[in-house]
Amino acid sequence: MDAGAPCLSHDLPREISFEYDGETRSALLAGPTSLPTSALPLVVNFHGYSDSPEQQEEFSVMSDDAEQQGFVVAYPTGTGIIKGWNAGACCGTAVTNDKDDVGFAEALVDEIAAVGCIDKGRVYATGYSNGGFLSHRLACESSVFAGVAPVAGVMGMDSCLPTRAIPVLQIHGTSDVTVPYNGNIALGFPSVDASMEGWSDRLSCSDATPTVFFEQGDTTCVQWSGCDAPLGLCTVDGGGHTWPGGEAPLLRGRTSTDLDANAILLQFLEVL
């Protein structure tokens, strides 16, 4: 739906499901209880490998922000017995079966737009762990998303040739043992620094040395200058495989309370 197109006010459905590539796919939705007649931004929030939409909603606590600040958030479900996304280096049968998760993500946006009042010019992707990897892939291959913010997930694609420049914000903890900050050669995970260097090249950033735009407690956020689109990195010193400012999942390391990942990504991507 175009940003200026009116739509009927109605309640947002809690769940949406549809057929894609021979399977029934689904997502949980959250946002304002009653949708307004003006189109809203959409944030698609992908769960981690072996997790679920319900867990991602709990970990990120993004539904509260969506309701209070006036946007729609979708939590899609991955594929496989152990749910995951095809994001190149990660993860599971979604990769081995070469699932078309880029096509699914784009189809999901269309399905949500058909039942909700969505501004298709303001559709964004974020995700945790494997969902963060997929956010990187969407920035490489999809023209639907206006910005991405991977959390605890790095670039998993051998080749990334985006057709347009979009904002990218990486959020990562230095003590993440699942997706290590410095990479994991055995698993084919690049380091956070290598992932950012790749985006700096793709976005034609003129200055290789970023400057600080947020600093509090354990967290420092930096932004590159002279880029074709904003590029930023929030580093959580001692942060684990977690969603900063969210609920702490068991046995995944320390969750920062100095950084509200939702607030910083909504601001950086200019969602609202």
Side-chain angles (χ1 to χ4, degrees):
M1 176 169 292
D2 295 332
C7 50
L8 297 176
S9 179
H10 65 280
D11 291 343
L12 182 71
R14 173 57 174 160
E15 186 172 6
I16 187 172
S17 63
F18 60 99
E19 294 298 312
Y20 183 79
D21 202 18
E23 291 185 80
T24 300
R25 304 296 299 269
S26 64
L28 297 180
L29 304 179
T33 303
S34 180
L35 294 176
T37 56
S38 57
L40 298 179
L42 169 64
V43 178
V44 185
N45 190 341
F46 297 92
H47 64 70
Y49 182 60
S50 81
D51 289 339
S52 67
E54 291 83 0
Q55 287 174 299
Q56 184 60 15
E57 183 175 42
E58 177 186 358
F59 294 160
S60 68
V61 202
M62 189 172 280
S63 294
D64 291 344
D65 292 303
E67 180 179 4
Q68 295 165 11
Q69 299 187 51
F71 65 94
V72 173
V73 58
Y75 305 96
T77 308
T79 60
I81 295 175
I82 301 176
K83 302 300 183 188
W85 307 104
N86 179 7
C90 181
C91 289
T93 58
V95 176
T96 57
N97 293 335
D98 195 25
K99 287 294 182 181
D100 180 16
D101 282 325
V102 173
F104 162 68
E106 294 178 339
L108 175 64
V109 172
D110 288 338
E111 293 289 332
I112 296 172
V115 300
C117 192
I118 300 302
D119 179 356
K120 294 184 74 173
R122 292 190 294 163
V123 177
Y124 307 86
T126 186
Y128 163 66
S129 190
N130 182 198
F133 278 83
L134 182 59
S135 299
H136 278 287
R137 182 169 191 174
L138 291 171
C140 296
E141 300 180 12
S142 176
S143 61
V144 167
F145 294 88
V148 302
V151 178
V154 292
M155 171 64 76
M157 305 305 297
D158 293 331
S159 175
C160 176
L161 301 171
T163 59
R164 79 283 180 256
I166 64 170
V168 176
L169 175 66
Q170 175 81 35
I171 300 173
H172 216 107
T174 62
S175 295
D176 188 331
V177 298
T178 304
V179 182
Y181 196 92
N182 292 321
N184 184 317
I185 296 175
L187 294 176
F189 297 172
S191 67
V192 170
D193 287 344
S195 297
M196 302 312 294
E197 287 170 6
W199 280 115
S200 178
D201 289 341
R202 293 181 202 102
L203 296 176
S204 302
C205 299
S206 61
D207 190 348
T209 303
T211 58
V212 174
F213 72 90
F214 175 88
E215 191 168 22
Q216 180 170 304
D218 58 20
T219 300
T220 301
C221 298
V222 297
Q223 181 171 350
W224 281 255
S225 62
C227 307
D228 292 341
L231 175 65
L233 166 65
C234 290
T235 298
V236 180
D237 187 23
H241 193 61
T242 58
W243 190 279
E247 293 296 322
L250 293 174
L251 306 177
R252 300 189 190 184
R254 186 175 63 81
T255 300
S256 174
T257 58
D258 291 320
L259 175 66
D260 182 340
N262 295 349
I264 204 83
L265 73 86
L266 291 171
Q267 178 185 15
F268 191 88
L269 301 182
E270 297 184 351
V271 174
L272 302 172

